[in-house]
């Protein structure tokens, strides 16, 4: 199943890149492995997958120990400040920074360990009350504040778009985030390190790529439906 699913996802990414006039290497596929057992992750690893996304700190800790060390881990779920210390040295990128308190906690832990953490600012473009993330209008002032933290490196933006039956319904959301991303890049405050736009999941990643995503987070499309019993 995994082999066929990965091939299908890869084909769709390539086709979306062609439609958008982009190169395939501009888009990183994050295989979202939350709730999935290590055996399934290893199956994906054996098929060439090296970038995995997790929602929960404990899963990252457990899987980090169990998986080969050339795996790149991404924290894509909501991160509580009291859990930062457990993953700072394990993750390549934190996608979900949405408050000054969290950014400052990452800074303090980074200073203790002499680590610089790459982060994305989470933006709630659709302003869904059930989701985390900053309002669009609050992103630029927040970005300017976080850029002053020496152990935090803002690499770009992330959003979780609404779940919709028709992916076209999220196109304007992705377009709006891309516009904000371009505005931030123009400011060039943090020495031009902003280069990541993380948006698009299983049901809408093709539209996200067409609108400029550089990272797509795909779980169900690769691993099948989540097993909520493991949470």
């Amino acid at each position: 199943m995994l082999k066929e699913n990965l091939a299908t996802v890869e084909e769709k990414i390539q086709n979306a890149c062609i439609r958008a006039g982009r190169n395939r290497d501009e888009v990183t596929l994050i295989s979202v492995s939350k709730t999935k057992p290590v055996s399934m992750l290893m199956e994906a690893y054996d098929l060439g997958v090296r970038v995995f996304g997790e929602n929960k700190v404990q899963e990252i800790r457990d899987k980090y120990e169990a998986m080969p060390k050339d795996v790149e881990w991404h924290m894509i779920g909501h991160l509580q400040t009291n859990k930062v210390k457990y993953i700072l040295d394990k993750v390549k990128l934190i996608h979900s920074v949405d408050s000054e308190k969290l950014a400052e906690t990452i800074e303090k832990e980074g200073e203790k360990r002499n680590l610089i953490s790459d982060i994305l600012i989470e933006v709630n473009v659709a302003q869904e009350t059930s989701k985390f993330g900053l309002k669009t209008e609050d992103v630029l002032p927040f970005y300017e504040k976080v850029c002053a933290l020496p152990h935090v490196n803002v690499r770009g933006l992330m959003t979780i778009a609404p779940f919709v039956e028709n992916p076209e319904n999220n196109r304007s959301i992705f377009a709006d985030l891309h516009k904000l991303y371009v505005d931030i890049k123009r400011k060039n405050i943090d020495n031009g390190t902003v280069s990541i736009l993380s948006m698009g999941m299983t049901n809408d990643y093709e539209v996200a790529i067409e609108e400029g995503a550089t990272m797509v987070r795909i779980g169900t499309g690769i691993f099948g439906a989540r097993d909520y019993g493991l949470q």
Side-chain angles (χ1 to χ4, degrees), residues 209-223:
I209 290 168
E210 289 169 8
E211 294 299 331
T214 69
M215 284 184 176
V216 291
R217 311 178 304 271
I218 302 176
T220 304
I222 294 171
F223 294 104

Side-chain angles (χ1 to χ4, degrees), residues 1-107:
M1 176 192 80
L2 270 182
K3 187 175 183 179
E4 292 79 7
N5 288 354
L6 277 166
T8 298
V9 168
E10 180 57 40
E11 183 181 8
K12 287 182 176 180
I13 290 174
Q14 289 188 16
N15 287 339
C17 286
I18 290 167
R19 287 194 298 273
R22 302 177 65 193
N23 293 323
R24 168 63 186 90
D25 60 9
E26 294 176 30
V27 181
T28 299
L29 169 60
I30 300 172
S31 298
V32 178
S33 47
K34 56 189 178 183
T35 78
K36 299 302 179 186
V38 169
S39 59
M40 192 176 276
L41 273 68
M42 278 306 304
E43 188 182 342
Y45 180 91
D46 290 341
L47 291 166
V49 174
R50 293 295 181 272
V51 185
F52 291 91
E54 290 287 342
N55 263 41
K56 295 185 182 295
V57 166
Q58 190 59 51
E59 277 201 82
I60 287 178
R61 293 178 76 188
D62 293 345
K63 290 172 179 176
Y64 179 88
E65 296 303 329
M67 294 286 289
K69 289 299 171 270
D70 62 337
V71 165
E72 188 177 295
W73 297 100
H74 289 236
M75 177 62 188
I76 62 174
H78 180 64
L79 180 57
Q80 295 171 298
T81 53
N82 63 343
K83 301 281 181 70
V84 168
K85 59 189 174 187
Y86 298 119
I87 62 160
L88 214 58
D89 59 344
K90 296 176 175 63
V91 298
K92 173 79 172 176
L93 185 65
I94 299 170
H95 287 235
S96 46
V97 176
D98 63 349
S99 71
E100 286 184 45
K101 186 180 178 186
L102 178 55
E104 286 163 1
T105 302
I106 294 169
E107 167 63 26

Side-chain angles (χ1 to χ4, degrees), residues 106-107 110-111 115-117 145-153 190:
I106 294 169
E107 167 63 26
E111 186 177 15
L115 284 174
I116 296 175
S117 295
K145 284 180 183 173
V146 177
C147 282
L149 302 174
H151 296 87
V152 178
N153 186 17
D190 207 14

Side-chain angles (χ1 to χ4, degrees), residues 142-229:
F142 179 75
Y143 168 66
E144 289 168 355
K145 284 180 183 173
V146 177
C147 282
L149 302 174
H151 296 87
V152 178
N153 186 17
V154 181
R155 297 298 314 281
L157 305 177
M158 178 270 239
T159 196
I160 301 172
F163 182 83
V164 290
E165 292 298 325
N166 181 0
E168 286 295 330
N169 292 343
N170 280 339
R171 189 176 291 278
S172 63
I173 287 169
F174 297 142
D176 287 348
L177 192 67
H178 182 263
K179 182 178 181 299
L180 185 59
Y181 166 77
V182 170
D183 288 346
I184 284 176
K185 278 175 73 76
R186 280 203 192 106
K187 287 196 173 287
N188 201 26
I189 296 170
D190 207 14
N191 298 317
T193 61
V194 171
S195 61
I196 296 171
L197 190 53
S198 172
M199 59 186 192
M201 298 191 291
T202 293
N203 64 317
D204 56 16
Y205 65 93
E206 294 168 85
V207 172
I209 290 168
E210 289 169 8
E211 294 299 331
T214 69
M215 284 184 176
V216 291
R217 311 178 304 271
I218 302 176
T220 304
I222 294 171
F223 294 104
R226 271 183 273 163
D227 184 350
Y228 287 91

